[in-house]
Amino acid sequence: MAQITLDVFRFDEAVDVVPHRSQVTVDVPETTTVLDALETAKAEVDGSISFRRSCRSAICGSCSMNINGTTGLACKTPCNTVMDKDGVIQVDPMPNFQPMKDLVVHMDPFWDKYTRLKPYLQPADRDEDHATERRVSPEDMKKLVDVANCVMCATCYALCPVVSVDPAFAGPAAIAYAYRFIEDVRDSKRDERIAQISEDYLWLCAHCYACSYCPKHVDPNDRIVDVKRAAIADRVMMNERGPRHALTVNRTIRQTGMLDETELILGTIGRFNVRGLLKVAPLGLRMAAKGKLPPIFLKPIPKVDEVRTIFDALEVPVA
Amino acid sequence: MSTTLLPEQRAGDAHKQTKSSQSKRYGFFPGCVAKESCKELFNSAMLLADRLGIELVELTAASCCGASVVNDTNRDVARVLNARTYAQAEALGLDDVITICSTCTGHMRAANKELLESDVHMTQANAILGKFGARYNGTVTVRHLLWLLIDDIGLDRLREMVVRPLNGLKVAPFYGCHIIRPESVNGWESSRRPHSLEDIIAAIGGEPIDYAGKTRCCGFHIQLEKEGVATSMVGQNMRMAKDRGAQAVLTPCPLCHLALDGYQADSAARWGRTDLPTFHLPQLVAFALGVPPEKLGLNKHLIDPRTVMVAQELIA
Ligand code: SF4
Ligand code: SF4
Ligand code: FES
């Protein structure tokens, strides 16, 4: 047994203006989960502590919260992996959400982004008489099973740094779930779905891998890349900055072997997009003043033709 | 008992020996940005290597690592580009490849992991490399200079080598996503609670500042996607650092450097002024080890770090 002190974020939107904290000490085996420690605290010490939970076994997705500053499922986190030397564990509501009461948050933005996906199969025919099966090969199904493990706990959404500054971004889980339908051979709305998730800022993912902490190994970060490849392959919304950026990177590496920083800006924003270029100009001028501008003409690396051979052998799109 | 080894075993052991007896020579992959807009990083790394008594042999014909972006359009190209670089390193007998960029580290390691773990990938890469007579045999290890400092030089030795301690300068570490995440690719230290930069800061006489932003994203890769987003990510992180009392930031990544140094001016509108000068890892370590500050390109930063260095009585 160990003495564990839960340092809990307390807030009730109905009465409180500012949050406060309370410390609750419980005697539990140190291998117990943070959720069970909270349950014990609620049962034995302070019945007013609020948190969501149901399954207690990482299946329902209810109990995601911040534990010592990083987000995860309380029922999947043993106390002895997170407590400090005095046995203290800080628990807070998930960031990127509005707190409702203690560890319970308003989940609406997360569900809204999910609902926008039309998260159900839209086959080409309505199959009113249910006469034939819609068959999927094992290989095609394999692509979808990882994503189907998503329990919608919103851990990834809470950890996403882009969501934290721009709530218009769909967020990792919604893009992963879009992938689930985009890659489903039974669905008929592939390109509409790609277009819609592109409009919800697919390309605004910052490649930070924070969502690789998904407790169910959905790895939205990898699914986001898959959706981008689908967008490029189907040539959906190619005039957006995201695809232009990616293709310009390809083009400059193929030409010079290097990532050409100057060309990247021109290619992404558009050589003739004067307004767009003027917006990035102040930073460019500040850099120029410090002698920090990248070279205008980049000298290709030695044996750059080898790089071109690689690009051509793999048929990498460059524009 | 027979001690006969299989040929590849013997080769393997011999190769290990050369590695430890001549551990002073490393393959060096500076990456694009250190050769373009952050030349001060390249120069500082070379000067630091000199101080440390190691040789960084630049892989001059290496290409871009793919910068996390080429993956967006093709699942194979980054892997094969990096296989080409590794083949060059092997041909030079330099299988210990050192980077000075978090993004290079993560993406080169990811490519190498795929090559080493899958015969299909290795065969595909070598089929293409074969078109120009190159071949990758799978002997390369990719590490960041940060890891070299701790594993090969050691914090104790680093501490001994300091001639210009930082006088308790309060430095906020900023790791850069790709040197820590995903853990399956990097895994050199905990990605949720890393402390290598803190250890280096302390070893050279600074005071490391702890703040939640240190493992978060600088937004560099989306600087052009939508106005204000990357800027705001920088502002948010720098606000946290500043509120914890930081006087400066230290990063092992030139992309983070471009973002942190470049966008703070514009993030002030939303997050308040932070104006934290940002050092490249080799810059600050080289300074502490006695490299003359005027050689470190400190005048190339948009937020001039010399102001705080003067205030801290580090330079006149
Ligand atoms: S992708 Fe993972 S972290 Fe995100 S909601 Fe689904 S299960 Fe949770
Ligand atoms: S990888 Fe993209 S979606 Fe995932 S947390 Fe980072 S920015 Fe958000
Ligand atoms: S209680 Fe169901 S996931 Fe934790």
Side-chain angles (χ1 to χ4, degrees):
Chain A
M1 294 294 269
Q3 271 213 338
I4 287 172
T5 301
L6 296 163
D7 175 11
V8 190
F9 173 99
R10 304 301 300 270
F11 176 72
D12 182 349
E13 65 174 6
V15 290
D16 293 333
V17 182
V18 285
H20 64 281
R21 304 193 76 86
S22 59
Q23 287 73 32
V24 190
T25 303
V26 288
D27 281 312
V28 285
E30 62 171 33
T31 49
T32 206
T33 64
V34 172
L35 180 65
D36 282 351
L38 275 167
E39 294 272 32
T40 309
K42 187 175 171 81
E44 295 177 3
V45 187
D46 181 349
S48 71
I49 301 174
S50 299
F51 48 91
R52 284 197 178 106
R53 62 100 182 87
S54 174
C55 70
R56 298 174 65 223
S57 50
I59 289 169
C60 73
S62 312
C63 69
S64 192
M65 59 184 69
N66 250 25
I67 303 165
N68 282 351
T70 69
T71 318
L73 296 178
C75 70
K76 211 186 168 205
T77 309
C79 288
N80 59 1
T81 62
V82 286
M83 64 192 190
D84 69 9
K85 58 181 191 324
D86 303 319
V88 179
I89 301 171
Q90 287 181 17
V91 280
D92 287 87
M94 281 190 284
N96 292 352
F97 289 98
Q98 207 59 42
M100 183 189 291
K101 186 163 186 303
D102 303 340
L103 306 171
V104 178
V105 298
H106 288 277
M107 293 282 285
D108 315 52
F110 181 77
W111 301 129
D112 288 349
K113 284 166 183 170
Y114 177 69
T115 316
R116 282 170 64 78
L117 300 173
K118 306 210 175 90
Y120 40 83
L121 211 56
Q122 299 181 71
D125 63 292
R126 303 267 323 166
D127 191 18
E128 308 289 359
D129 56 359
H130 303 286
T132 44
E133 289 177 279
R134 296 185 199 281
R135 308 198 72 168
V136 186
S137 70
E139 300 83 75
D140 284 332
M141 204 61 209
K142 232 170 119 183
K143 291 199 244 168
L144 310 181
V145 284
D146 284 349
V147 181
N149 284 337
C150 173
V151 294
M152 294 173 203
C153 64
T155 298
C156 57
Y157 191 89
L159 286 166
C160 178
V162 176
V163 170
S164 79
V165 298
D166 188 356
F169 177 51
I175 305 178
Y177 230 73
Y179 165 90
R180 188 247 164 277
F181 292 101
I182 288 166
E183 287 300 333
D184 192 319
V185 292
R186 297 164 295 185
D187 197 76
S188 65
K189 301 277 190 232
R190 179 180 161 99
D191 285 1
E192 285 96 317
R193 290 184 187 279
I194 296 174
Q196 196 248 312
I197 202 70
S198 299
E199 266 168 37
D200 286 357
Y201 297 107
L202 163 67
W203 292 89
L204 201 54
C205 163
H207 315 192
C208 82
Y209 293 91
C211 52
S212 69
Y213 296 128
C214 162
K216 303 300 285 184
H217 307 291
V218 172
D219 291 349
N221 44 287
D222 287 339
R223 303 294 79 77
I224 291 168
V225 175
D226 287 332
V227 175
K228 288 175 177 173
R229 285 185 199 136
I232 300 275
D234 289 18
R235 305 196 66 78
V236 179
M237 313 247 304
M238 291 295 277
N239 223 7
E240 298 294 303
R241 284 194 180 178
R244 292 167 64 116
H245 179 226
L247 294 176
T248 308
V249 168
N250 287 356
R251 179 161 54 78
T252 72
I253 298 178
R254 190 181 176 283
Q255 273 167 4
T256 65
M258 305 270 278
L259 198 155
D260 183 335
E261 295 177 57
T262 311
E263 191 52 36
L264 200 60
I265 294 169
L266 295 175
T268 305
I269 295 177
R271 212 168 289 277
F272 306 106
N273 178 354
V274 178
R275 264 185 54 182
L277 289 174
L278 278 176
K279 282 199 174 140
V280 298
L283 178 59
L285 290 174
R286 290 205 299 273
M287 289 177 71
K290 295 281 186 167
K292 222 174 151 40
L293 275 194
I296 306 268
F297 295 107
L298 202 60
K299 206 170 116 241
I301 59 165
K303 299 195 240 176
V304 69
D305 48 321
E306 297 179 0
V307 171
R308 292 177 193 160
T309 303
I310 294 172
F311 271 72
D312 297 345
L314 294 168
E315 297 175 12
V316 180
V318 288
Chain B
M1 205 178 84
S2 163
T3 52
T4 318
L5 295 168
L6 296 170
E8 55 270 34
Q9 269 174 306
R10 206 182 295 142
D13 289 351
H15 141 84
K16 255 183 219 141
Q17 271 181 8
T18 24
K19 226 174 181 174
S20 60
S21 59
Q22 315 177 343
S23 62
K24 310 272 180 200
R25 261 180 115 235
Y26 300 90
F28 180 41
F29 181 90
C32 303
V33 177
K35 301 285 283 186
E36 296 178 41
S37 52
C38 287
K39 293 196 188 72
E40 73 279 6
L41 166 60
F42 180 87
N43 297 336
S44 308
M46 295 314 261
L47 291 163
L48 173 62
D50 202 39
R51 281 283 143 156
L52 296 171
I54 61 172
E55 194 186 342
L56 296 179
V57 183
E58 188 185 345
L59 303 170
T60 47
S63 73
C64 172
C65 70
S68 92
V69 181
V70 299
N71 280 335
D72 286 355
T73 56
N74 182 292
R75 69 178 73 243
D76 300 312
V77 63
R79 194 189 315 116
V80 183
L81 282 175
N82 286 305
R84 174 179 172 275
T85 300
Y86 303 148
Q88 291 170 358
E90 278 181 342
L92 294 167
L94 300 163
D95 45 19
D96 205 349
V97 172
I98 302 302
T99 65
I100 46 173
C101 168
S102 295
T103 291
C104 295
T105 307
H107 292 278
M108 292 178 73
R109 287 179 63 86
N112 206 21
K113 186 174 187 312
E114 289 177 4
L115 288 161
L116 299 182
E117 286 178 359
S118 151
D119 288 343
V120 177
H121 288 152
M122 189 64 106
T123 308
Q124 178 205 36
N126 275 327
I128 299 174
L129 263 48
K131 290 177 197 260
F132 42 86
R135 183 183 163 77
Y136 177 41
N137 295 309
T139 66
V140 166
T141 314
V142 180
R143 297 186 298 155
H144 193 287
L145 181 69
L146 171 63
W147 306 353
L148 178 155
L149 281 174
I150 289 177
D151 284 346
D152 298 16
I153 308 294
L155 289 166
D156 288 336
R157 177 137 167 64
L158 200 61
R159 226 171 274 123
E160 286 164 20
M161 293 178 79
V162 171
V163 296
R164 258 198 237 113
L166 298 186
N167 294 344
L169 181 74
K170 295 191 171 69
V171 185
F174 194 89
Y175 283 85
C177 303
H178 301 150
I179 198 174
I180 45 173
R181 285 185 297 269
E183 231 167 62
S184 57
V185 166
N186 292 303
W188 181 81
E189 64 182 323
S190 156
S191 67
R192 295 221 189 203
R193 307 229 171 275
H195 53 77
S196 55
L197 281 175
E198 284 90 328
D199 294 346
I200 299 258
I201 293 166
I204 59 175
E207 184 189 324
I209 295 294
D210 192 26
Y211 68 116
K214 71 180 184 187
T215 54
R216 285 170 70 97
C217 179
C218 71
F220 177 84
H221 293 290
I222 48 164
Q223 59 162 340
L224 300 170
E225 303 318 330
K226 186 180 177 193
E227 212 181 321
V229 178
T231 313
S232 201
M233 286 159 76
V234 164
Q236 189 186 45
N237 291 322
M238 293 300 95
R239 183 78 262 152
M240 290 188 238
K242 184 102 180 171
D243 288 350
R244 290 289 182 104
Q247 296 169 283
V249 182
L250 181 67
T251 182
C253 182
L255 310 188
C256 296
H257 189 278
L258 282 175
L260 301 178
D261 190 37
Y263 309 160
Q264 281 184 71
D266 295 326
S267 69
R270 181 165 170 189
W271 296 96
R273 288 190 65 160
T274 46
D275 298 332
L276 288 171
T278 309
F279 292 100
H280 298 287
L281 171 72
Q283 227 176 12
L284 199 58
V285 177
F287 171 79
L289 265 47
V291 175
E294 57 278 8
K295 289 193 174 170
L296 295 171
L298 298 167
N299 57 331
K300 298 282 177 195
H301 298 205
L302 300 192
I303 301 173
D304 198 325
R306 290 170 300 183
T307 320
V308 60
M309 292 172 87
V310 170
Q312 201 73 8
E313 295 176 5
L314 295 172
I315 53 173

